[in-house]
Amino acid sequence: DSGVTQTPKHLITATGQRVTLRCSPRSGDLSVYWYQQSLDQGLQFLIQYYNGEERAKGNILERFSAQQFPDLHSELNLSSLELGDSALYFCASRGQGGGYTFGSGTRLTVV
Amino acid sequence: LAKTTQPISMDSYEGQEVNITCSHNNIATNDYITWYQQFPSQGPRFIIQGYKTKVTNEVASLFIPADRKSSTLSLPRVSLSDTAVYYCLVGDNVGNAGNMLTFGGGTRLMVKP
């Protein structure tokens, strides 16, 4: 257990639907990062939050949004889903210094 | 963020030492070098981090030359379970910065019996 919790582990939904992925960072970590990894592809950075504020944005589609709540958990909202959105979505957290700790991911399948 | 270049793939045999080199020619003064390991369908796992010279922990060693333009991850006596993708990342060490953890393609290590 890395200390970063992601739910759900698996999600199957239809095109056009909306889903919410949840991430609880490691205790004490204020930064949360979201990544997308399609089949046999590298990790694509989506967005970063630090203590509730958006700090950096990567290749995140307009159909996707995220937020970090006062208790530091974060949610990634994916709407108007397309087949190409099927991927593993990882959340990572980080404290002051040191490496990033990743969760076990949410596997999203859009049918 | 400094860009990194790694070999796409490497093969090795059980019991051998594996060295994976990463080039990062435009590394900044504040940047650290961090290596991650990723198994299929799992999140990347932190292996080791360093700033200069040599760092060793229970699973790997990291060698960084004086100019810091490259680094080498050394895995001693690999086993089949070390088959994974290894990523080299370069970036600052501050958690609240607007830094993006940009992964390159990584090195796919295949350990054979």
Side-chain angles (χ1 to χ4, degrees):
Chain A
D1 182 8
S2 67
V4 176
T5 304
Q6 289 189 248
T7 56
K9 292 193 183 305
H10 302 277
L11 200 49
I12 301 175
T13 189
T15 54
Q17 295 299 304
R18 171 189 168 97
V19 297
T20 297
L21 313 183
R22 181 188 170 104
C23 169
S24 293
R26 198 176 52 168
S27 179
D29 288 354
L30 301 181
S31 281
V32 170
Y33 303 76
W34 285 98
Y35 289 84
Q36 178 192 56
Q37 187 172 39
S38 302
L39 189 62
D40 289 334
Q41 299 294 311
L43 288 132
Q44 298 295 320
F45 169 75
L46 296 178
I47 198 164
Q48 178 207 356
Y49 280 84
Y50 175 79
N51 202 20
E53 293 185 4
E54 180 185 306
R55 280 301 176 99
K57 234 175 189 178
N59 299 321
I60 186 167
L61 301 172
E62 287 191 8
R63 300 183 286 108
F64 296 1
S65 64
Q67 54 184 327
Q68 186 179 28
F69 295 86
D71 67 353
L72 301 178
H73 91 272
S74 178
E75 292 181 356
L76 179 67
N77 301 297
L78 315 176
S79 61
S80 302
L81 284 167
E82 302 174 358
L83 295 178
D85 298 326
S86 295
L88 271 165
Y89 291 84
F90 290 106
C91 164
S93 75
R94 189 187 193 197
Q96 287 294 105
Y100 298 77
T101 303
F102 284 79
S104 56
T106 293
R107 180 177 294 280
L108 173 67
T109 303
V110 182
V111 297
Chain B
L1 237 62
K3 182 180 173 178
T4 61
T5 303
Q6 304 173 232
I8 293 174
S9 64
M10 293 181 68
D11 288 345
S12 183
Y13 291 92
E14 281 190 294
Q16 289 189 334
E17 177 184 75
V18 171
N19 295 309
I20 307 175
T21 297
C22 178
S23 297
H24 28 80
N25 290 320
N26 58 340
I27 188 170
T29 305
N30 294 335
D31 286 344
Y32 282 71
I33 300 152
T34 312
W35 286 79
Y36 292 82
Q37 175 192 54
Q38 187 182 26
F39 298 112
S41 299
Q42 294 186 26
R45 183 176 71 100
F46 172 89
I47 300 175
I48 197 166
Q49 183 181 71
Y51 183 80
K52 61 180 179 181
T53 62
K54 176 184 174 182
V55 179
T56 297
N57 62 22
E58 63 276 9
V59 297
S61 295
L62 179 59
F63 298 92
I64 306 168
D67 66 5
R68 304 200 327 123
K69 292 184 184 298
S70 67
S71 59
T72 299
L73 173 72
S74 180
L75 305 173
R77 299 179 299 281
V78 294
S79 63
L80 296 177
S81 62
D82 293 316
T83 294
V85 178
Y86 292 82
Y87 295 96
C88 160
L89 287 98
V90 173
D92 66 73
N93 212 27
V94 180
N96 62 347
N99 48 8
M100 294 178 286
L101 189 56
T102 303
F103 286 81
T107 298
R108 191 175 297 273
L109 173 66
M110 173 69 74
V111 179
K112 303 175 183 177

mmCIF file of all heavy atoms in Angstrom, chain A residues 47-63:
data_model
loop_
_atom_site.group_PDB
_atom_site.id
_atom_site.type_symbol
_atom_site.label_atom_id
_atom_site.label_comp_id
_atom_site.label_asym_id
_atom_site.label_seq_id
_atom_site.Cartn_x
_atom_site.Cartn_y
_atom_site.Cartn_z
ATOM 1 N N ILE A 47 -2.975 17.334 -14.647
ATOM 2 C CA ILE A 47 -3.165 18.518 -13.825
ATOM 3 C C ILE A 47 -2.585 18.291 -12.435
ATOM 4 O O ILE A 47 -2.486 17.150 -11.979
ATOM 5 C CB ILE A 47 -4.665 18.879 -13.751
ATOM 6 C CG1 ILE A 47 -4.875 20.318 -13.281
ATOM 7 C CG2 ILE A 47 -5.439 17.877 -12.898
ATOM 8 C CD1 ILE A 47 -6.285 20.846 -13.562
ATOM 9 N N GLN A 48 -2.184 19.407 -11.786
ATOM 10 C CA GLN A 48 -1.651 19.357 -10.423
ATOM 11 C C GLN A 48 -2.406 20.331 -9.532
ATOM 12 O O GLN A 48 -2.716 21.444 -9.949
ATOM 13 C CB GLN A 48 -0.171 19.724 -10.396
ATOM 14 C CG GLN A 48 0.416 19.740 -8.979
ATOM 15 C CD GLN A 48 1.597 20.673 -8.808
ATOM 16 O OE1 GLN A 48 2.057 21.291 -9.757
ATOM 17 N NE2 GLN A 48 2.108 20.777 -7.595
ATOM 18 N N TYR A 49 -2.654 19.912 -8.309
ATOM 19 C CA TYR A 49 -3.215 20.782 -7.282
ATOM 20 C C TYR A 49 -2.282 20.798 -6.083
ATOM 21 O O TYR A 49 -1.632 19.809 -5.763
ATOM 22 C CB TYR A 49 -4.605 20.302 -6.845
ATOM 23 C CG TYR A 49 -5.668 20.716 -7.806
ATOM 24 C CD1 TYR A 49 -5.923 19.952 -8.939
ATOM 25 C CD2 TYR A 49 -6.400 21.879 -7.624
ATOM 26 C CE1 TYR A 49 -6.893 20.335 -9.850
ATOM 27 C CE2 TYR A 49 -7.373 22.273 -8.520
ATOM 28 C CZ TYR A 49 -7.598 21.490 -9.641
ATOM 29 O OH TYR A 49 -8.556 21.881 -10.550
ATOM 30 N N TYR A 50 -2.234 21.957 -5.448
ATOM 31 C CA TYR A 50 -1.467 22.081 -4.215
ATOM 32 C C TYR A 50 -2.348 22.776 -3.190
ATOM 33 O O TYR A 50 -2.757 23.919 -3.403
ATOM 34 C CB TYR A 50 -0.170 22.870 -4.425
ATOM 35 C CG TYR A 50 0.583 23.130 -3.156
ATOM 36 C CD1 TYR A 50 1.359 22.138 -2.570
ATOM 37 C CD2 TYR A 50 0.492 24.369 -2.504
ATOM 38 C CE1 TYR A 50 2.035 22.363 -1.395
ATOM 39 C CE2 TYR A 50 1.173 24.598 -1.315
ATOM 40 C CZ TYR A 50 1.939 23.586 -0.772
ATOM 41 O OH TYR A 50 2.613 23.809 0.398
ATOM 42 N N ASN A 51 -2.664 22.104 -2.132
ATOM 43 C CA ASN A 51 -3.439 22.649 -1.028
ATOM 44 C C ASN A 51 -4.718 23.340 -1.519
ATOM 45 O O ASN A 51 -5.040 24.441 -1.067
ATOM 46 C CB ASN A 51 -2.581 23.633 -0.224
ATOM 47 C CG ASN A 51 -3.094 23.819 1.183
ATOM 48 O OD1 ASN A 51 -3.832 22.989 1.715
ATOM 49 N ND2 ASN A 51 -2.719 24.925 1.809
ATOM 50 N N GLY A 52 -5.370 22.713 -2.447
ATOM 51 C CA GLY A 52 -6.651 23.212 -2.938
ATOM 52 C C GLY A 52 -6.583 24.096 -4.160
ATOM 53 O O GLY A 52 -7.619 24.412 -4.755
ATOM 54 N N GLU A 53 -5.394 24.496 -4.546
ATOM 55 C CA GLU A 53 -5.263 25.397 -5.695
ATOM 56 C C GLU A 53 -4.634 24.680 -6.890
ATOM 57 O O GLU A 53 -3.694 23.899 -6.719
ATOM 58 C CB GLU A 53 -4.383 26.592 -5.331
ATOM 59 C CG GLU A 53 -4.994 27.514 -4.293
ATOM 60 C CD GLU A 53 -4.123 28.736 -4.060
ATOM 61 O OE1 GLU A 53 -3.095 28.885 -4.759
ATOM 62 O OE2 GLU A 53 -4.471 29.546 -3.187
ATOM 63 N N GLU A 54 -5.129 25.004 -8.066
ATOM 64 C CA GLU A 54 -4.527 24.462 -9.276
ATOM 65 C C GLU A 54 -3.161 25.088 -9.469
ATOM 66 O O GLU A 54 -3.015 26.308 -9.423
ATOM 67 C CB GLU A 54 -5.417 24.754 -10.484
ATOM 68 C CG GLU A 54 -4.858 24.214 -11.798
ATOM 69 C CD GLU A 54 -5.714 24.629 -12.974
ATOM 70 O OE1 GLU A 54 -6.933 24.384 -12.967
ATOM 71 O OE2 GLU A 54 -5.154 25.242 -13.926
ATOM 72 N N ARG A 55 -2.135 24.217 -9.707
ATOM 73 C CA ARG A 55 -0.782 24.749 -9.837
ATOM 74 C C ARG A 55 -0.195 24.566 -11.232
ATOM 75 O O ARG A 55 0.657 25.339 -11.640
ATOM 76 C CB ARG A 55 0.157 24.071 -8.838
ATOM 77 C CG ARG A 55 0.055 24.617 -7.440
ATOM 78 C CD ARG A 55 0.373 26.102 -7.389
ATOM 79 N NE ARG A 55 0.204 26.672 -6.071
ATOM 80 C CZ ARG A 55 1.199 26.882 -5.236
ATOM 81 N NH1 ARG A 55 2.421 26.569 -5.570
ATOM 82 N NH2 ARG A 55 0.958 27.416 -4.061
ATOM 83 N N ALA A 56 -0.607 23.546 -11.917
ATOM 84 C CA ALA A 56 -0.058 23.292 -13.253
ATOM 85 C C ALA A 56 -1.061 22.484 -14.060
ATOM 86 O O ALA A 56 -1.815 21.684 -13.514
ATOM 87 C CB ALA A 56 1.267 22.549 -13.170
ATOM 88 N N LYS A 57 -1.074 22.757 -15.350
ATOM 89 C CA LYS A 57 -1.974 22.050 -16.249
ATOM 90 C C LYS A 57 -1.165 21.450 -17.380
ATOM 91 O O LYS A 57 -0.306 22.116 -17.953
ATOM 92 C CB LYS A 57 -2.996 23.033 -16.826
ATOM 93 C CG LYS A 57 -4.436 22.633 -16.640
ATOM 94 C CD LYS A 57 -5.366 23.720 -17.134
ATOM 95 C CE LYS A 57 -6.792 23.408 -16.756
ATOM 96 N NZ LYS A 57 -7.732 24.453 -17.161
ATOM 97 N N GLY A 58 -1.458 20.215 -17.698
ATOM 98 C CA GLY A 58 -0.789 19.559 -18.809
ATOM 99 C C GLY A 58 -1.760 19.381 -19.959
ATOM 100 O O GLY A 58 -2.556 20.252 -20.266
ATOM 101 N N ASN A 59 -1.717 18.222 -20.574
ATOM 102 C CA ASN A 59 -2.572 17.951 -21.730
ATOM 103 C C ASN A 59 -3.964 17.488 -21.307
ATOM 104 O O ASN A 59 -4.397 16.398 -21.657
ATOM 105 C CB ASN A 59 -1.923 16.885 -22.608
ATOM 106 C CG ASN A 59 -0.575 17.334 -23.131
ATOM 107 O OD1 ASN A 59 -0.406 18.493 -23.490
ATOM 108 N ND2 ASN A 59 0.393 16.438 -23.147
ATOM 109 N N ILE A 60 -4.657 18.331 -20.597
ATOM 110 C CA ILE A 60 -5.985 17.954 -20.111
ATOM 111 C C ILE A 60 -7.047 18.518 -21.037
ATOM 112 O O ILE A 60 -7.033 19.698 -21.380
ATOM 113 C CB ILE A 60 -6.192 18.414 -18.649
ATOM 114 C CG1 ILE A 60 -7.511 17.883 -18.104
ATOM 115 C CG2 ILE A 60 -6.071 19.928 -18.506
ATOM 116 C CD1 ILE A 60 -7.646 18.020 -16.600
ATOM 117 N N LEU A 61 -7.960 17.648 -21.464
ATOM 118 C CA LEU A 61 -9.028 18.068 -22.367
ATOM 119 C C LEU A 61 -10.027 18.959 -21.636
ATOM 120 O O LEU A 61 -10.167 18.895 -20.425
ATOM 121 C CB LEU A 61 -9.760 16.826 -22.908
ATOM 122 C CG LEU A 61 -8.909 15.819 -23.685
ATOM 123 C CD1 LEU A 61 -9.715 14.566 -23.983
ATOM 124 C CD2 LEU A 61 -8.396 16.445 -24.975
ATOM 125 N N GLU A 62 -10.731 19.771 -22.415
ATOM 126 C CA GLU A 62 -11.739 20.649 -21.815
ATOM 127 C C GLU A 62 -12.882 19.852 -21.202
ATOM 128 O O GLU A 62 -13.557 20.337 -20.287
ATOM 129 C CB GLU A 62 -12.281 21.619 -22.876
ATOM 130 C CG GLU A 62 -11.298 22.709 -23.239
ATOM 131 C CD GLU A 62 -11.937 23.792 -24.086
ATOM 132 O OE1 GLU A 62 -13.176 23.768 -24.255
ATOM 133 O OE2 GLU A 62 -11.200 24.656 -24.582
ATOM 134 N N ARG A 63 -13.095 18.649 -21.672
ATOM 135 C CA ARG A 63 -14.139 17.772 -21.122
ATOM 136 C C ARG A 63 -13.752 17.233 -19.748
ATOM 137 O O ARG A 63 -14.573 16.653 -19.046
ATOM 138 C CB ARG A 63 -14.376 16.589 -22.071
ATOM 139 C CG ARG A 63 -14.827 16.963 -23.449
ATOM 140 C CD ARG A 63 -15.120 15.735 -24.299
ATOM 141 N NE ARG A 63 -13.941 15.025 -24.741
ATOM 142 C CZ ARG A 63 -13.551 13.857 -24.280
ATOM 143 N NH1 ARG A 63 -14.240 13.249 -23.317
ATOM 144 N NH2 ARG A 63 -12.472 13.244 -24.759
#
